[in-house]
Amino acid sequence: MSLWLGKSSLILASQSGARKMLLANAGLKFKAVTADIDERGIQAACGLSDPREIALLLAREKAKAVSADHGGSYVIGADQTLALGSRLFNKPAGRAQALAQLRDLAGNSHELNSAVAVAHDGKIVFEDVSIARMTMRPMTEPELSAYLDAAGDAVTTSVGAYQLEGLGIHLFARIEGDHFTILGLPLLPLLAFLRREQLIAV
């Protein structure tokens, strides 16, 4: 049973398996539509350096891009940035880049900045950014190689080369922040907005 009460369908502007799982587990019926935007091009041209602002900008752009073709629907855009101090990370292009990222992250604390934006008829009607602080345990080269062997191509699908809901949990010594933020969707603020708008039944 879906808890969605909206007259038009709810749309997730993402094909992220983790984000789809979170919305489905929350009892929301939705469609997933890929946002056709140049994320790296937008990031390069925006002139922003704050990882929270970058994540929010990309979440907005995804929501607006899909909303333009789906009038009347509420469209959820989401994005996540990883910052190690002042350095921003992107999804690794392959195993070698994943290994290089993990070498830098091992033994250090980094921040995940997860942004969500909701568009309706092309306008942003809600946005939020949540932060999780992640401390990766020190790891030897053989340990990193063993992790990469076990995780396989999945390491290229997430910023930081890990999925915390899977084998990536083995990399960490301490985590500060909620599970939803870590998976890339600030779910509690999003549900609070939908509830205020009387779009969900609970």
Side-chain angles (χ1 to χ4, degrees), residues 4 11 13 17 66 89 92 111 136 141 145 167:
W4 178 248
I11 298 175
V66 173
F89 284 61
E111 288 186 343
M136 196 173 284
E141 199 76 6
S145 293
L167 296 179

Side-chain angles (χ1 to χ4, degrees), residues 123-143:
K123 296 181 180 179
I124 299 299
V125 294
F126 170 76
E127 59 186 41
D128 185 83
V129 181
S130 297
I131 301 171
R133 187 170 179 81
M134 318 285 290
T135 301
M136 196 173 284
R137 64 186 179 87
M139 296 184 70
T140 65
E141 199 76 6
E143 287 174 329

Side-chain angles (χ1 to χ4, degrees), residues 92-107:
R95 181 189 171 103
Q97 192 173 358
L99 177 59
Q101 287 189 3
L102 291 171
R103 282 194 192 111
D104 292 338
L105 294 173

Side-chain angles (χ1 to χ4, degrees), residues 41-194:
I42 292 170
Q43 183 175 339
C46 71
L48 298 173
S49 59
D50 187 314
R52 289 164 291 190
E53 293 179 1
I54 293 169
L56 192 52
L57 171 64
L58 292 172
R60 287 192 205 111
E61 292 302 312
K62 291 175 184 179
K64 289 191 294 185
V66 173
S67 181
D69 296 325
H70 296 83
S73 293
Y74 284 85
V75 179
I76 301 167
D79 196 78
Q80 187 178 65
T81 58
L82 186 158
L84 178 63
S86 61
R87 180 183 170 192
L88 287 179
F89 284 61
N90 294 313
K91 293 177 183 177
R95 181 189 171 103
Q97 192 173 358
L99 177 59
Q101 287 189 3
L102 291 171
R103 282 194 192 111
D104 292 338
L105 294 173
N108 293 308
S109 295
H110 63 268
E111 288 186 343
L112 292 177
N113 303 272
S114 292
V116 60
V118 178
H120 186 248
D121 290 331
K123 296 181 180 179
I124 299 299
V125 294
F126 170 76
E127 59 186 41
D128 185 83
V129 181
S130 297
I131 301 171
R133 187 170 179 81
M134 318 285 290
T135 301
M136 196 173 284
R137 64 186 179 87
M139 296 184 70
T140 65
E141 199 76 6
E143 287 174 329
L144 290 174
S145 293
Y147 162 73
L148 291 169
D149 289 341
D153 291 341
V155 299
T156 64
T157 63
S158 296
V159 64
Y162 62 82
Q163 289 86 34
L164 198 79
E165 68 275 23
L167 296 179
I169 190 63
H170 293 282
L171 305 176
F172 290 91
R174 187 170 68 255
I175 295 169
E176 302 166 66
D178 72 58
H179 186 62
F180 312 116
T181 296
I182 294 165
L183 295 188
L185 183 67
L187 188 59
L188 295 180
L190 173 62
L191 293 177
F193 163 74
L194 297 176

